[in-house]
Amino acid sequence: MNIRTRLTLLFVLLVASIMLLFTVSVYYLYDQFRQQEFEQRLEEKAFTTVRLREDVGEVPQADLPVMVNEQVTIYNSKGVVLYNQGNQRPHYPVTPSFLSKITLHHSQYSRIGDLEAVGVRHLNSRGQVLLIVASGNDRYGLTKLDRLREILFSGWLLSLVIVGIAGYLFATDALRPVAELIGQVNAISATNIHERLRVGRQRDELADLASTFNDLLSRLEEAFVLQKSFVSHASHELRTPLTVMMGQIEVTRLLARSTDEYESSFDALLDEVKSMIRLVNGLLELARASSDAVMLNHQPLRIDELLWQAQSQVTHTKPDYQIDIDFDNLPNQEEELVILGEESLLQTAFQNLMENGCKYSPDERVSVRISFESGYVQLTFTDQGYGIPESDLPHIFEPFYRSETTMTVKGHGIGLALTKRIIELHRGLIRVESVVGKGTKFWITLPIPYRSAKLPEATYSSDEQIKTEATS
């Protein structure tokens, strides 16, 4: 069952229930009014009959208004019939319990079928207590009640038909924007992912839904473009060493060579293979860092130990690199050194910044400084290298982006993109400052769970805006 049909049925059921309650209420109230009116007429008939009998004796039937099947019977206090109008046998069966319930100030009403009876108490001029029971058939009132019931039931059925049609039209009109949105969404594909949803009503929930979809499409378009760029660059980076390897193999096979020449060729091939392995490992790390953060296994880690381990790894592979780690304002409590994170990812991020600082510096040296504030730890990686041109700063965190000034240095442009994503996964911030010919400085800010506090975005000056894009 679609939403339109469901809304129509719910609308009809709701209105039908309300109208049914209304019609039943009208019928019930009118029935109560008819009963009270006829009861009053019976009381008046009873009192009029007994008073006329006391005044003139036998009451002529033609002297009083006649009701259908009317009957007036007078009893004494012991229940003995003193008078029966027309000397007829009472139409309404009167029981002793009915008579016993009649009081001076409260009449007694009863009904059997279409016959209704009212009993009243009367004290005559001689001080005798008389019980008068007047009964009759309110044929005209009951006929009107039956007619009212037919009118209400017919009107209720007709209203249901009208409400059903109106509900269907209402649901159709209400869901027309949804149908339009569905059509627009179905028309969007990879070839026109730049298209956005449009709604005629700009200030309702559907407009908010369309805006949410548009935001989602914007994120998908960005991810789609990044994926295409990623695949294109990855293919290019992988194809280059493969082409070099294939060329070396073909040249080597052209002529018979000596053992030293073959070893030299194999060494060159081995270098290319290692380069490919580093590229593939970087791509895998970037893919892992781009996965959902909830899949990461965050554990308590000491920030100083992570830095020492990263320094050890870098100097082990590159003994010529010099990495100086300086602690300033060390906390008094060791808990303030502990952060929550993925050890391997954080080590990768710190190694990338250390290797970049050494690789792009003539003296192959980088300085790391740690400072602690309330609720967060800040790391700075400073080198005295070539620097990054101002035009390249907005792009250095993009995957595979490399400045023209760094093309002579081996690399694939993955390191900073990976570092930025890792820092973001740990709810941290990263920013950079650089001056060509003087060096580059990276700031990393990470929260400390021991003292929760908001990261100090406002502590930076206006010209030191945080760059939240990544590459190496």
Side-chain angles (χ1 to χ4, degrees):
M1 183 183 297
N2 55 32
I3 296 180
R4 179 185 305 171
T5 304
R6 187 160 60 248
L7 283 178
T8 302
L9 291 178
L10 290 175
F11 183 71
V12 171
L13 289 176
L14 177 62
V15 177
S17 301
I18 295 174
M19 293 184 62
L20 181 61
L21 179 62
F22 173 75
T23 54
V24 170
S25 301
V26 170
Y27 181 81
Y28 174 77
L29 292 175
Y30 182 78
D31 182 54
Q32 294 295 309
F33 171 75
R34 182 210 62 79
Q35 176 183 321
Q36 293 175 3
E37 183 185 32
F38 190 64
E39 184 179 347
Q40 183 178 3
R41 289 173 57 192
L42 289 175
E43 288 183 11
E44 293 174 354
K45 178 73 174 181
F47 284 118
T48 302
T49 300
V50 72
R51 286 167 183 165
L52 283 175
R53 183 177 178 276
E54 291 178 353
D55 293 340
V56 299
E58 184 67 27
V59 181
Q61 185 72 18
D63 290 351
L64 294 175
V66 179
M67 293 179 289
V68 179
N69 293 329
E70 74 170 23
Q71 182 75 48
V72 179
T73 305
I74 302 175
Y75 300 85
N76 61 14
S77 59
K78 297 180 179 180
V80 178
V81 177
L82 300 178
Y83 171 79
N84 189 21
Q85 188 180 30
N87 294 320
Q88 300 175 359
R89 186 177 181 180
H91 299 292
Y92 189 89
V94 178
T95 62
S97 62
F98 178 81
L99 294 176
S100 64
K101 295 178 181 178
I102 301 174
T103 63
L104 184 61
H105 301 290
H106 297 284
S107 60
Q108 184 67 22
Y109 172 83
S110 179
R111 178 177 178 178
I112 299 178
D114 290 338
L115 283 178
E116 299 175 76
V118 172
V120 296
R121 182 185 288 263
H122 175 70
L123 188 65
N124 63 11
S125 57
R126 295 188 296 273
Q128 295 177 332
V129 176
L130 302 178
L131 304 177
I132 306 99
V133 177
S135 63
N137 184 354
D138 187 13
R139 177 181 299 175
Y140 302 107
L142 293 176
T143 301
K144 293 178 181 179
L145 189 64
D146 292 339
R147 182 57 179 166
L148 176 63
R149 182 171 60 248
E150 294 175 359
I151 293 174
L152 290 176
F153 182 72
S154 301
W156 182 69
L157 291 179
L158 180 62
S159 299
L160 287 186
V161 176
I162 297 175
V163 168
I165 297 174
Y168 182 81
L169 296 177
F170 169 76
T172 302
D173 179 70
L175 295 175
R176 183 177 293 111
V178 177
E180 294 175 355
L181 289 178
I182 292 174
Q184 295 180 44
V185 171
N186 289 333
I188 297 176
S189 62
T191 58
N192 62 340
I193 198 172
H194 59 278
E195 294 288 342
R196 294 295 180 267
L197 303 181
R198 303 175 303 279
V199 291
R201 303 167 183 171
Q202 300 299 326
R203 294 184 179 180
D204 57 10
E205 289 77 3
L206 291 178
D208 296 338
L209 178 62
S211 177
T212 303
F213 269 119
N214 287 335
D215 294 339
L216 174 62
L217 288 173
S218 298
R219 294 193 296 270
L220 289 176
E221 181 183 11
E222 181 181 356
F224 185 73
V225 171
L226 289 176
Q227 183 185 36
K228 290 180 63 177
S229 175
F230 181 85
V231 172
S232 176
H233 285 89
S235 300
H236 174 75
E237 293 292 338
L238 289 171
R239 183 174 57 187
T240 299
L242 289 173
T243 302
V244 172
M245 292 170 61
M246 185 175 65
Q248 289 180 344
I249 293 174
E250 289 177 347
V251 171
T252 304
R253 291 182 59 193
L254 290 177
L255 298 172
R257 302 180 183 277
S258 64
T259 302
D260 293 338
E261 291 174 335
Y262 278 120
E263 290 181 355
S264 177
S265 298
F266 287 147
D267 290 340
L269 291 174
L270 182 60
D271 291 338
E272 294 297 333
V273 170
K274 291 180 179 179
S275 176
M276 287 184 61
I277 292 175
R278 286 194 297 270
L279 175 59
V280 171
N281 289 336
L283 294 175
L284 291 176
E285 290 288 344
L286 185 59
R288 183 190 175 202
S290 299
S291 62
D292 194 347
V294 298
M295 300 180 64
L296 300 179
N297 183 23
H298 285 205
Q299 298 291 335
L301 304 170
R302 285 179 59 107
I303 191 69
D304 54 342
E305 293 180 357
L306 288 174
L307 289 173
W308 290 120
Q309 292 171 5
Q311 180 197 43
S312 177
Q313 291 289 336
V314 173
T315 55
H316 177 73
T317 56
K318 300 286 185 179
D320 295 336
Y321 287 176
Q322 300 183 39
I323 302 172
D324 301 325
I325 301 179
D326 177 33
F327 289 92
D328 185 19
N329 298 326
L330 289 178
N332 296 326
Q333 301 185 30
E334 292 187 0
E335 290 85 353
E336 297 188 23
L337 289 169
V338 178
I339 64 173
L340 291 177
E342 179 83 12
E343 182 176 4
S344 60
L345 289 180
L346 287 174
Q347 282 192 17
T348 299
F350 297 157
Q351 289 177 30
N352 287 337
L353 293 176
M354 292 176 181
E355 288 181 356
N356 282 353
C358 295
K359 182 166 57 176
Y360 295 107
S361 299
D363 57 357
E364 297 183 340
R365 178 187 294 271
V366 65
S367 298
V368 182
R369 182 176 179 272
I370 307 177
S371 60
F372 297 88
E373 299 293 340
S374 177
Y376 63 90
V377 57
Q378 188 173 80
L379 310 177
T380 57
F381 297 79
T382 307
D383 64 67
Q384 306 297 324
Y386 308 118
I388 304 172
E390 186 176 355
S391 59
D392 292 329
L393 285 177
H395 307 286
I396 62 171
F397 292 111
E398 296 175 3
F400 299 104
Y401 180 84
R402 300 195 69 198
S403 173
E404 294 182 359
T405 59
T406 62
M407 288 300 180
T408 57
V409 182
K410 289 185 178 181
H412 302 287
I414 297 178
L416 285 181
L418 178 59
T419 300
K420 174 253 183 184
R421 180 56 183 160
I422 292 173
I423 299 304
E424 287 181 345
L425 287 177
H426 291 79
R427 298 183 301 154
L429 301 173
I430 183 171
R431 67 188 185 98
V432 60
E433 274 187 356
S434 184
V435 178
V436 176
K438 292 186 178 181
T440 304
K441 178 182 289 188
F442 285 90
W443 283 267
I444 290 180
T445 306
L446 294 170
I448 298 175
Y450 177 72
R451 290 184 180 177
S452 59
K454 188 176 180 180
L455 294 182
E457 298 178 72
T459 59
Y460 304 129
S461 60
S462 59
D463 59 340
E464 297 176 345
Q465 296 179 349
I466 299 172
K467 312 297 181 181
T468 53
E469 306 171 1
T471 306
S472 168

mmCIF file of all heavy atoms in Angstrom, residues 428-457:
data_model
loop_
_atom_site.group_PDB
_atom_site.id
_atom_site.type_symbol
_atom_site.label_atom_id
_atom_site.label_comp_id
_atom_site.label_asym_id
_atom_site.label_seq_id
_atom_site.Cartn_x
_atom_site.Cartn_y
_atom_site.Cartn_z
ATOM 1 N N GLY A 428 41.471 15.892 15.927
ATOM 2 C CA GLY A 428 42.522 16.892 16.067
ATOM 3 C C GLY A 428 42.487 17.908 14.943
ATOM 4 O O GLY A 428 41.658 17.855 14.037
ATOM 5 N N LEU A 429 43.391 18.863 15.015
ATOM 6 C CA LEU A 429 43.524 19.920 14.016
ATOM 7 C C LEU A 429 44.959 19.945 13.494
ATOM 8 O O LEU A 429 45.901 19.626 14.221
ATOM 9 C CB LEU A 429 43.181 21.292 14.623
ATOM 10 C CG LEU A 429 41.772 21.458 15.202
ATOM 11 C CD1 LEU A 429 41.664 22.804 15.912
ATOM 12 C CD2 LEU A 429 40.728 21.356 14.115
ATOM 13 N N ILE A 430 45.103 20.344 12.234
ATOM 14 C CA ILE A 430 46.432 20.493 11.649
ATOM 15 C C ILE A 430 46.462 21.765 10.827
ATOM 16 O O ILE A 430 45.492 22.084 10.136
ATOM 17 C CB ILE A 430 46.801 19.268 10.777
ATOM 18 C CG1 ILE A 430 48.232 19.428 10.237
ATOM 19 C CG2 ILE A 430 45.801 19.046 9.670
ATOM 20 C CD1 ILE A 430 48.758 18.170 9.556
ATOM 21 N N ARG A 431 47.554 22.510 10.924
ATOM 22 C CA ARG A 431 47.736 23.725 10.126
ATOM 23 C C ARG A 431 49.208 23.875 9.786
ATOM 24 O O ARG A 431 50.074 23.197 10.368
ATOM 25 C CB ARG A 431 47.214 24.958 10.865
ATOM 26 C CG ARG A 431 47.997 25.343 12.103
ATOM 27 C CD ARG A 431 47.309 26.447 12.876
ATOM 28 N NE ARG A 431 48.117 26.891 14.007
ATOM 29 C CZ ARG A 431 48.910 27.956 13.996
ATOM 30 N NH1 ARG A 431 49.017 28.684 12.889
ATOM 31 N NH2 ARG A 431 49.607 28.294 15.055
ATOM 32 N N VAL A 432 49.493 24.755 8.867
ATOM 33 C CA VAL A 432 50.858 24.877 8.369
ATOM 34 C C VAL A 432 51.177 26.334 8.077
ATOM 35 O O VAL A 432 50.301 27.120 7.692
ATOM 36 C CB VAL A 432 51.048 24.019 7.087
ATOM 37 C CG1 VAL A 432 50.098 24.464 5.989
ATOM 38 C CG2 VAL A 432 52.493 24.063 6.609
ATOM 39 N N GLU A 433 52.444 26.682 8.299
ATOM 40 C CA GLU A 433 53.004 27.972 7.888
ATOM 41 C C GLU A 433 54.314 27.702 7.180
ATOM 42 O O GLU A 433 55.078 26.811 7.592
ATOM 43 C CB GLU A 433 53.257 28.884 9.093
ATOM 44 C CG GLU A 433 52.068 29.700 9.542
ATOM 45 C CD GLU A 433 52.456 30.689 10.618
ATOM 46 O OE1 GLU A 433 53.636 30.663 11.044
ATOM 47 O OE2 GLU A 433 51.603 31.480 11.048
ATOM 48 N N SER A 434 54.586 28.459 6.126
ATOM 49 C CA SER A 434 55.828 28.232 5.400
ATOM 50 C C SER A 434 56.286 29.507 4.705
ATOM 51 O O SER A 434 55.457 30.298 4.227
ATOM 52 C CB SER A 434 55.633 27.107 4.362
ATOM 53 O OG SER A 434 56.854 26.816 3.722
ATOM 54 N N VAL A 435 57.590 29.675 4.678
ATOM 55 C CA VAL A 435 58.211 30.805 3.972
ATOM 56 C C VAL A 435 59.281 30.232 3.057
ATOM 57 O O VAL A 435 60.143 29.459 3.502
ATOM 58 C CB VAL A 435 58.829 31.817 4.951
ATOM 59 C CG1 VAL A 435 59.499 32.945 4.177
ATOM 60 C CG2 VAL A 435 57.754 32.355 5.900
ATOM 61 N N VAL A 436 59.204 30.562 1.788
ATOM 62 C CA VAL A 436 60.153 30.021 0.814
ATOM 63 C C VAL A 436 61.578 30.436 1.198
ATOM 64 O O VAL A 436 61.858 31.609 1.446
ATOM 65 C CB VAL A 436 59.808 30.515 -0.608
ATOM 66 C CG1 VAL A 436 60.848 30.034 -1.614
ATOM 67 C CG2 VAL A 436 58.423 30.039 -1.007
ATOM 68 N N GLY A 437 62.446 29.456 1.262
ATOM 69 C CA GLY A 437 63.836 29.699 1.599
ATOM 70 C C GLY A 437 64.126 29.718 3.083
ATOM 71 O O GLY A 437 65.300 29.755 3.476
ATOM 72 N N LYS A 438 63.088 29.711 3.924
ATOM 73 C CA LYS A 438 63.320 29.767 5.364
ATOM 74 C C LYS A 438 62.836 28.525 6.098
ATOM 75 O O LYS A 438 63.354 28.204 7.163
ATOM 76 C CB LYS A 438 62.644 31.006 5.958
ATOM 77 C CG LYS A 438 63.280 32.310 5.509
ATOM 78 C CD LYS A 438 62.663 33.490 6.247
ATOM 79 C CE LYS A 438 63.343 34.797 5.842
ATOM 80 N NZ LYS A 438 62.757 35.957 6.568
ATOM 81 N N GLY A 439 61.838 27.853 5.581
ATOM 82 C CA GLY A 439 61.401 26.632 6.235
ATOM 83 C C GLY A 439 59.888 26.551 6.390
ATOM 84 O O GLY A 439 59.133 27.452 5.973
ATOM 85 N N THR A 440 59.471 25.458 7.012
ATOM 86 C CA THR A 440 58.043 25.151 7.171
ATOM 87 C C THR A 440 57.786 24.687 8.592
ATOM 88 O O THR A 440 58.626 24.036 9.210
ATOM 89 C CB THR A 440 57.612 24.053 6.170
ATOM 90 O OG1 THR A 440 57.936 24.469 4.837
ATOM 91 C CG2 THR A 440 56.124 23.780 6.268
ATOM 92 N N LYS A 441 56.597 25.039 9.096
ATOM 93 C CA LYS A 441 56.200 24.608 10.432
ATOM 94 C C LYS A 441 54.778 24.054 10.373
ATOM 95 O O LYS A 441 53.873 24.692 9.839
ATOM 96 C CB LYS A 441 56.279 25.762 11.422
ATOM 97 C CG LYS A 441 55.817 25.374 12.842
ATOM 98 C CD LYS A 441 55.848 26.551 13.800
ATOM 99 C CE LYS A 441 57.287 26.951 14.128
ATOM 100 N NZ LYS A 441 57.318 27.967 15.202
ATOM 101 N N PHE A 442 54.605 22.844 10.932
ATOM 102 C CA PHE A 442 53.293 22.209 11.045
ATOM 103 C C PHE A 442 52.890 22.191 12.520
ATOM 104 O O PHE A 442 53.702 21.888 13.392
ATOM 105 C CB PHE A 442 53.333 20.768 10.514
ATOM 106 C CG PHE A 442 53.370 20.677 9.010
ATOM 107 C CD1 PHE A 442 54.582 20.648 8.332
ATOM 108 C CD2 PHE A 442 52.197 20.608 8.281
ATOM 109 C CE1 PHE A 442 54.628 20.558 6.959
ATOM 110 C CE2 PHE A 442 52.229 20.512 6.906
ATOM 111 C CZ PHE A 442 53.445 20.491 6.232
ATOM 112 N N TRP A 443 51.607 22.506 12.779
ATOM 113 C CA TRP A 443 51.026 22.402 14.113
ATOM 114 C C TRP A 443 49.992 21.282 14.121
ATOM 115 O O TRP A 443 49.141 21.206 13.224
ATOM 116 C CB TRP A 443 50.330 23.702 14.522
ATOM 117 C CG TRP A 443 51.225 24.807 14.956
ATOM 118 C CD1 TRP A 443 51.636 25.114 16.209
ATOM 119 C CD2 TRP A 443 51.797 25.817 14.099
ATOM 120 N NE1 TRP A 443 52.439 26.223 16.216
ATOM 121 C CE2 TRP A 443 52.557 26.687 14.930
ATOM 122 C CE3 TRP A 443 51.762 26.071 12.741
ATOM 123 C CZ2 TRP A 443 53.253 27.778 14.435
ATOM 124 C CZ3 TRP A 443 52.450 27.151 12.235
ATOM 125 C CH2 TRP A 443 53.197 27.988 13.075
ATOM 126 N N ILE A 444 50.060 20.438 15.112
ATOM 127 C CA ILE A 444 49.050 19.402 15.322
ATOM 128 C C ILE A 444 48.517 19.557 16.741
ATOM 129 O O ILE A 444 49.290 19.632 17.693
ATOM 130 C CB ILE A 444 49.623 17.986 15.123
ATOM 131 C CG1 ILE A 444 49.928 17.733 13.654
ATOM 132 C CG2 ILE A 444 48.633 16.935 15.636
ATOM 133 C CD1 ILE A 444 50.496 16.353 13.386
ATOM 134 N N THR A 445 47.216 19.619 16.865
ATOM 135 C CA THR A 445 46.562 19.745 18.163
ATOM 136 C C THR A 445 45.661 18.539 18.374
ATOM 137 O O THR A 445 44.800 18.253 17.546
ATOM 138 C CB THR A 445 45.732 21.036 18.242
ATOM 139 O OG1 THR A 445 46.570 22.151 17.900
ATOM 140 C CG2 THR A 445 45.168 21.222 19.646
ATOM 141 N N LEU A 446 45.852 17.840 19.494
ATOM 142 C CA LEU A 446 45.074 16.637 19.816
ATOM 143 C C LEU A 446 44.462 16.787 21.211
ATOM 144 O O LEU A 446 45.106 17.322 22.113
ATOM 145 C CB LEU A 446 45.949 15.382 19.774
ATOM 146 C CG LEU A 446 46.512 14.992 18.403
ATOM 147 C CD1 LEU A 446 47.547 13.874 18.557
ATOM 148 C CD2 LEU A 446 45.400 14.557 17.469
ATOM 149 N N PRO A 447 43.223 16.301 21.376
ATOM 150 C CA PRO A 447 42.583 16.412 22.704
ATOM 151 C C PRO A 447 43.125 15.370 23.676
ATOM 152 O O PRO A 447 43.524 14.268 23.290
ATOM 153 C CB PRO A 447 41.103 16.151 22.402
ATOM 154 C CG PRO A 447 41.125 15.282 21.187
ATOM 155 C CD PRO A 447 42.321 15.726 20.372
ATOM 156 N N ILE A 448 43.150 15.739 24.939
ATOM 157 C CA ILE A 448 43.553 14.835 26.015
ATOM 158 C C ILE A 448 42.294 14.470 26.806
ATOM 159 O O ILE A 448 41.638 15.358 27.353
ATOM 160 C CB ILE A 448 44.588 15.490 26.944
ATOM 161 C CG1 ILE A 448 45.858 15.813 26.158
ATOM 162 C CG2 ILE A 448 44.915 14.574 28.121
ATOM 163 C CD1 ILE A 448 46.877 16.566 26.980
ATOM 164 N N PRO A 449 41.918 13.181 26.873
ATOM 165 C CA PRO A 449 40.668 12.815 27.560
ATOM 166 C C PRO A 449 40.710 13.074 29.061
ATOM 167 O O PRO A 449 39.668 13.183 29.690
ATOM 168 C CB PRO A 449 40.532 11.317 27.261
ATOM 169 C CG PRO A 449 41.912 10.854 26.937
ATOM 170 C CD PRO A 449 42.596 12.020 26.286
ATOM 171 N N TYR A 450 41.939 13.183 29.632
ATOM 172 C CA TYR A 450 42.036 13.417 31.077
ATOM 173 C C TYR A 450 41.383 14.739 31.461
ATOM 174 O O TYR A 450 40.739 14.857 32.495
ATOM 175 C CB TYR A 450 43.493 13.403 31.503
ATOM 176 C CG TYR A 450 43.703 13.717 32.972
ATOM 177 C CD1 TYR A 450 43.351 12.807 33.967
ATOM 178 C CD2 TYR A 450 44.272 14.931 33.359
ATOM 179 C CE1 TYR A 450 43.547 13.092 35.300
ATOM 180 C CE2 TYR A 450 44.469 15.230 34.694
ATOM 181 C CZ TYR A 450 44.114 14.306 35.655
ATOM 182 O OH TYR A 450 44.315 14.597 36.981
ATOM 183 N N ARG A 451 41.513 15.721 30.573
ATOM 184 C CA ARG A 451 40.869 17.011 30.784
ATOM 185 C C ARG A 451 40.214 17.401 29.476
ATOM 186 O O ARG A 451 40.899 17.837 28.543
ATOM 187 C CB ARG A 451 41.875 18.091 31.191
ATOM 188 C CG ARG A 451 42.446 17.908 32.596
ATOM 189 C CD ARG A 451 43.343 19.067 32.935
ATOM 190 N NE ARG A 451 43.917 18.947 34.267
ATOM 191 C CZ ARG A 451 44.775 19.816 34.776
ATOM 192 N NH1 ARG A 451 45.143 20.865 34.077
ATOM 193 N NH2 ARG A 451 45.254 19.629 35.987
ATOM 194 N N SER A 452 38.917 17.215 29.406
ATOM 195 C CA SER A 452 38.207 17.527 28.167
ATOM 196 C C SER A 452 38.079 19.029 28.026
ATOM 197 O O SER A 452 37.704 19.736 28.926
ATOM 198 C CB SER A 452 36.815 16.886 28.183
ATOM 199 O OG SER A 452 36.076 17.362 29.281
ATOM 200 N N ALA A 453 38.411 19.509 26.859
ATOM 201 C CA ALA A 453 38.267 20.935 26.545
ATOM 202 C C ALA A 453 38.190 21.077 25.042
ATOM 203 O O ALA A 453 38.662 20.233 24.292
ATOM 204 C CB ALA A 453 39.448 21.747 27.088
ATOM 205 N N LYS A 454 37.584 22.154 24.594
ATOM 206 C CA LYS A 454 37.470 22.393 23.162
ATOM 207 C C LYS A 454 38.823 22.766 22.588
ATOM 208 O O LYS A 454 39.607 23.483 23.207
ATOM 209 C CB LYS A 454 36.459 23.523 22.903
ATOM 210 C CG LYS A 454 36.138 23.701 21.434
ATOM 211 C CD LYS A 454 35.065 24.757 21.242
ATOM 212 C CE LYS A 454 34.754 24.934 19.770
ATOM 213 N NZ LYS A 454 33.710 25.956 19.555
ATOM 214 N N LEU A 455 39.088 22.241 21.392
ATOM 215 C CA LEU A 455 40.371 22.536 20.777
ATOM 216 C C LEU A 455 40.513 24.022 20.528
ATOM 217 O O LEU A 455 39.562 24.705 20.141
ATOM 218 C CB LEU A 455 40.499 21.769 19.452
ATOM 219 C CG LEU A 455 40.551 20.246 19.626
ATOM 220 C CD1 LEU A 455 40.714 19.585 18.276
ATOM 221 C CD2 LEU A 455 41.691 19.847 20.536
ATOM 222 N N PRO A 456 41.705 24.566 20.722
ATOM 223 C CA PRO A 456 41.885 26.018 20.745
ATOM 224 C C PRO A 456 41.940 26.634 19.365
ATOM 225 O O PRO A 456 42.940 27.185 18.943
ATOM 226 C CB PRO A 456 43.232 26.178 21.467
ATOM 227 C CG PRO A 456 43.995 24.947 21.082
ATOM 228 C CD PRO A 456 42.974 23.853 20.996
ATOM 229 N N GLU A 457 40.835 26.557 18.604
ATOM 230 C CA GLU A 457 40.839 27.142 17.271
ATOM 231 C C GLU A 457 40.986 28.657 17.331
ATOM 232 O O GLU A 457 41.571 29.276 16.469
ATOM 233 C CB GLU A 457 39.539 26.781 16.546
ATOM 234 C CG GLU A 457 39.357 25.283 16.354
ATOM 235 C CD GLU A 457 38.040 24.979 15.691
ATOM 236 O OE1 GLU A 457 37.918 25.253 14.482
ATOM 237 O OE2 GLU A 457 37.146 24.471 16.364
#
